Amino acid sequence: MTRSVLCLLFLIAVASAQNADSLIDQAISLYEARHLDASGLDSASAILERVVAGDAKNGHAYQELSKVYFLLGDRADEKDAKLELFYKGRDYGRKAIDLDDKSAEAHFWYMVNIGRVGQTKGVLNSLVLVPDVRNEIETVLKIDPEHTGALDAQAMLYYELPGLLGGNVNKSIESLNKGIALDSNYALLYVDMGKVYMKKKDFEKARWYLNRVLEITEPTHEA
């Protein structure tokens, strides 16, 4: 193969990668604006499906698909529809992990989807999935100790589990405080802190954290 042909093939590969990156960025912009236009989620999933159809080894696209299908599942009304979407999110997360086991985001969205599957199926099914959820949270925090989403997930795991299985509201508060220290504009952390303090029956602190959410003018995740 001549040098000119090799150069041409290299340029084609670079252009293809740039095009995929551009499409992924477009999909991210659409789902981040879903509070302004709900159809953006569907458009984002279609764009990302197009990317992986052309490049079956694009881990970033699989990771974003895992997130989008979680968001679609959360939006769905019917239990069966939710489960179907969460399963897709789980499977795409698994593909992203297979392609890059060191990706904190791949592990995170895989974990979020399997957690939602358990929650949607009911308490007993959630307990079966707890070891997988806990392991994935630990993996994310090992890769990225400052991952605020994983800290929130860790806090909610402590919050939701019964004491005999590791539930501990004080550990929940500890994880949420770490997250808030890292990102004071992450609104969900304050909402979940309010839930924890309600469980502790400290309603004054719960109200403080919930009111704090209303004061955030530039939330990290606007949608």
Side-chain angles (χ1 to χ4, degrees):
M1 189 176 294
T2 66
R3 184 173 180 178
S4 60
V5 172
L6 287 172
C7 289
L8 178 60
L9 290 174
F10 173 76
L11 291 172
I12 291 172
V14 169
S16 177
Q18 289 176 337
N19 184 53
D21 289 342
S22 177
L23 288 171
I24 293 170
D25 288 343
Q26 182 183 349
I28 292 171
S29 296
L30 285 167
Y31 75 60
E32 285 185 343
R34 62 191 181 277
H35 57 300
L36 303 174
D37 182 359
S39 68
L41 268 180
D42 302 290
S43 299
S45 67
I47 290 169
L48 293 167
E49 294 279 8
R50 174 182 161 192
V51 173
V52 296
D55 180 4
K57 293 187 177 181
N58 194 313
H60 188 190
Y62 286 122
Q63 167 193 302
E64 295 299 333
L65 274 167
S66 183
K67 180 175 182 177
V68 167
Y69 275 105
F70 159 73
L71 295 171
L72 286 167
D74 251 11
R75 187 184 70 178
D77 295 322
E78 300 297 325
K79 178 178 178 180
D80 288 345
K82 283 180 172 293
L83 285 172
E84 181 179 355
L85 292 163
F86 291 142
Y87 280 133
K88 281 188 176 181
R90 176 201 63 186
D91 293 345
Y92 280 127
R94 183 71 258 174
K95 286 184 178 180
I97 291 170
D98 289 342
L99 288 166
D100 182 5
D101 188 49
K102 300 301 181 183
S103 168
E105 291 300 301
H107 283 281
F108 178 73
W109 291 108
Y110 171 73
M111 175 274 297
V112 170
N113 277 287
I114 59 176
R116 275 292 197 272
V117 166
Q119 289 176 336
T120 304
K121 283 187 170 184
V123 175
L124 292 178
N125 287 285
S126 295
L127 295 178
V128 172
L129 294 171
V130 164
D132 289 337
V133 171
R134 181 183 284 121
N135 181 64
E136 290 301 321
I137 291 172
E138 290 174 354
T139 298
V140 175
L141 291 174
K142 183 177 181 180
I143 298 169
D144 179 6
E146 297 186 352
H147 195 292
T148 48
L151 287 168
D152 182 61
Q154 183 181 63
M156 288 299 93
L157 189 62
Y158 286 132
Y159 166 82
E160 292 178 0
L161 287 176
L164 290 174
L165 295 177
N168 187 317
V169 289
N170 291 324
K171 286 186 176 181
S172 184
I173 291 170
E174 183 181 332
S175 295
L176 290 169
N177 276 327
K178 286 180 183 178
I180 290 171
L182 290 165
D183 185 353
S184 61
N185 288 324
Y186 196 150
L188 183 59
L189 295 168
Y190 296 97
V191 174
D192 288 340
M193 189 75 91
K195 289 165 62 176
V196 173
Y197 275 112
M198 287 174 68
K199 190 170 186 177
K200 285 173 68 71
K201 300 191 184 301
D202 189 338
F203 300 113
E204 183 177 352
K205 283 188 177 179
R207 280 193 298 270
W208 188 92
Y209 280 101
L210 295 174
N211 282 322
R212 177 70 184 87
V213 178
L214 304 177
E215 297 170 357
I216 297 174
T217 56
E218 296 182 2
T220 303
H221 304 290
E222 189 174 357

